[in-house]
Amino acid sequence: MSDSIVIIPTFNEKENIEKITRAVFGLSKAFDILVVDDGSPDGTASIVKTLMADEFSGRLFLIEREGKQGLGTAYIAGFKWALERDYEYVFEMDADFSHKPEDLLRLYDACANEGGDVAVGSRYVTGVNVVNWPMSRVLMSYFASKYVRFITNIPLHDTTAGFVCYRREVLQSINLDSIRFKGYAFQIEMKYTAYKLGFSVREVPVVFVNRVEGVSKMSGGIFSEAFFGVIRLRLSAVNGKRHNTAL
């Protein structure tokens, strides 16, 4: 068993799931993979099961859930699964190659060798490194991260990034059942909580490439949740209501 697990939430990713699995398993460092599938009607889970049985037993794992329950709850389920199995480094990653598999090595190095407790694959720490997004979406994402930084004072340029490595100790210190948000705001809440608990959060510059195959799961409601959720997070901190710590 590897010391590292990559959690990949899926909904209708049949075009990508085998390719991303093989790409991760082809890296120079060994990573295990946990796919958390929300009842994909396109057969994503069946593809994973075939790969598990035929080639990747003991390295590829699957959690199947009924219906779309949200990105945040998928990651929470994956975090709990990984903690139960003693993984030291737990990664968040998309299935659609918007995150380059080889950048997993850099996130791992930032935590394992450079003193980071959380490593964030950042689109904005060295400018704007986004490929194939409409300008309107680039601007929305970029200024959303600026807004979050302004409201929360968290020293990150890409607060909504979904390409992240957590050391085991970070996830053990957070009361995962009290994480409130499911979309973009989930990513913000996890980073903000880790930062408020005193963990070192580092940014690793990456290039984000919009998906080539499959359909984006982004919606206006996700941005709305993030906009208002950030204010709630900040007010909770100001009022001393840090209910989502495990202490």
Side-chain angles (χ1 to χ4, degrees), residues 68 137 140 183-184 216-225:
K68 293 184 70 175
R137 187 169 171 186
M140 183 179 293
Y184 249 19
S216 173
K217 315 305 187 295
M218 190 61 62
S219 70
I222 289 174
F223 283 105
S224 177
E225 180 194 55

Side-chain angles (χ1 to χ4, degrees), residues 150-163:
F150 174 75
I151 295 294
T152 64
N153 292 321
I154 186 172
L156 288 176
H157 294 84
D158 194 353
T159 54
T160 61
F163 193 23

Side-chain angles (χ1 to χ4, degrees), residues 113-133:
N113 301 314
E114 296 178 2
D117 297 310
V118 181
V120 178
S122 177
R123 298 162 290 184
Y124 306 129
V125 70
T126 59
V128 178
N129 295 309
V130 177
V131 178
N132 292 336
W133 260 7

